[in-house]
């Protein structure tokens, strides 16, 4: 990373050790590094970020990051979501823009981070942004574990959903990548907003923003991503990427 003029942009990687579907996954070795450290190594190459830190409530994660010399912030065990963890970092942080980078995406491309942040550099009025990829195939379209987003003509989220209808995705519908960009004050406000019925029903926290009338900018990328939610996901990702 190198310093640049403009707003201070902080990347935060929430790392929850006690994942319900894959406990300890953030410390599973991927190509010689704990998964979350692999995410850090890739995020640190994004020149748009001034700094990157891991955020966790786990002493195991903290020890592993300390050994590797990776910056870390200890957060509360009461955080319900990764965004809550990022908001805790932001409360005492000096950033103007915060990027929530998922700790279970060890193959993330730094270009995705840079693409997600760019609209905030072009338009200071933006409060929240995210990313979607064009690589949504028929199998993923039918998979409720794959989150989809419908995007308006001017590049904002119209809806996020899991369940789909019809055999193929309609126009302007993409696979959502769970990376978020927040203006600091909005992030703090967002973390205090009441959860909405759509958020609870779909298990998608970004619905809270839409339900409260907050425009969410969506950057469309050609890059795909691997989110690791199970040992099977990790095996498939390793096979596709060719790493151990």
């Amino acid at each position: 990373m190198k310093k640049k003029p403009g707003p201070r942009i902080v990347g935060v990687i929430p790392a929850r050790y006690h994942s319900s579907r894959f406990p300890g996954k953030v410390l599973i070795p991927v190509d010689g590094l704990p998964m979350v450290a692999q995410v850090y190594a890739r995020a640190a190459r994004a020149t748009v970020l001034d700094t990157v830190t891991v955020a966790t409530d786990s002493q195991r994660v903290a020890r592993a990051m300390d050994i590797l010399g990776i910056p870390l912030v200890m957060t509360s065990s009461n955080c319900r979501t990764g965004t809550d963890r990022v908001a805790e970092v932001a409360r005492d942080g000096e950033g103007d823009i915060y990027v929530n980078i998922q700790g279970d995406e060890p193959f993330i491309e730094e270009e995705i981070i840079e693409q997600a942040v760019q609209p905030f550099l072009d338009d200071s009025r933006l409060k929240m942004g995210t990313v979607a990829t064009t690589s949504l195939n028929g199998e993923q379209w039918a998979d409720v574990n794959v989150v989809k987003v419908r995007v308006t003509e001017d590049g904002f989220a119209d809806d996020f959903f899991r369940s789909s209808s019809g055999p193929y995705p309609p126009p302007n519908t993409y696979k959502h990548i769970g990376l978020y960009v927040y203006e600091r004050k909005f992030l703090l406000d967002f973390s205090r907003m009441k959860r909405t019925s759509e958020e609870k029903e779909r298990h998608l926290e970004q619905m809270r923003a839409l339900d409260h009338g907050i425009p969410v900018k969506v950057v469309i990328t050609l890059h795909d991503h691997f989110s690791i939610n199970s040992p099977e996901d990790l095996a498939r990702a390793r096979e596709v990427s060719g790493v151990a």
Side-chain angles (χ1 to χ4, degrees), residues 7-214:
R8 181 170 175 78
I9 304 172
V10 178
V12 182
I13 306 170
R16 184 166 62 97
Y17 183 83
H18 296 289
S19 168
S20 57
R21 286 191 285 176
F22 193 178
K25 68 178 179 179
V26 293
L27 294 184
I28 294 292
V30 177
D31 203 21
L33 286 174
M35 184 183 298
V36 67
Q38 192 67 256
V39 176
Y40 174 84
R42 287 170 173 260
R45 296 201 293 259
T47 58
V48 75
L49 300 177
D50 289 280
T51 186
V52 181
T53 187
V54 173
T56 189
D57 63 346
S58 166
Q59 291 296 332
R60 294 184 185 182
V61 174
R63 286 194 294 270
M65 298 305 98
D66 183 59
I67 291 171
L68 294 169
I70 293 176
L72 180 122
V73 175
M74 293 300 296
T75 53
S76 168
S77 59
N78 296 325
C79 292
R80 185 175 57 247
T81 67
T83 299
D84 290 336
R85 226 173 277 287
V86 177
E88 281 201 10
V89 175
R91 285 189 192 111
D92 299 319
E94 298 179 351
D96 301 300
I97 295 170
Y98 284 81
V99 185
N100 180 350
I101 304 164
Q102 303 297 319
D104 60 1
E105 297 188 357
F107 306 103
I108 188 169
E109 300 284 350
E110 61 266 28
E111 289 89 351
I112 292 178
I113 299 171
E114 293 169 348
Q115 290 171 348
V117 170
Q118 188 58 49
F120 285 73
L121 303 180
D122 298 334
D123 187 351
S124 61
R125 297 170 298 177
L126 293 177
K127 303 299 181 186
M128 180 176 174
T130 190
V131 189
T133 174
T134 56
S135 60
L136 175 62
N137 58 38
E139 180 181 351
Q140 294 167 338
W141 172 243
D143 188 347
V144 296
N145 294 310
V146 176
V147 179
K148 300 89 177 172
V149 57
R150 186 167 60 246
V151 182
T152 63
E153 292 296 335
D154 56 349
F156 289 86
D158 182 56
D159 195 18
F160 294 93
F161 56 96
R162 296 179 182 275
S163 299
S164 56
S165 59
Y168 302 107
N172 300 322
T173 302
Y174 306 93
K175 181 168 73 172
H176 181 232
I177 295 178
L179 182 147
Y180 299 97
V181 185
Y182 296 100
E183 183 271 329
R184 178 181 181 273
K185 182 181 181 301
F186 172 74
L187 171 61
L188 299 181
D189 291 341
F190 181 76
S191 68
R192 293 188 289 261
M193 285 181 185
K194 184 178 180 181
R195 297 177 70 205
T196 65
S197 57
E198 293 280 15
E199 175 184 359
K200 294 175 184 177
E201 180 180 338
R202 302 184 190 187
H203 301 286
L204 297 174
E205 63 178 320
Q206 61 268 39
M207 288 304 301
R208 190 188 320 165
L210 295 190
D211 291 341
H212 282 92
I214 307 299

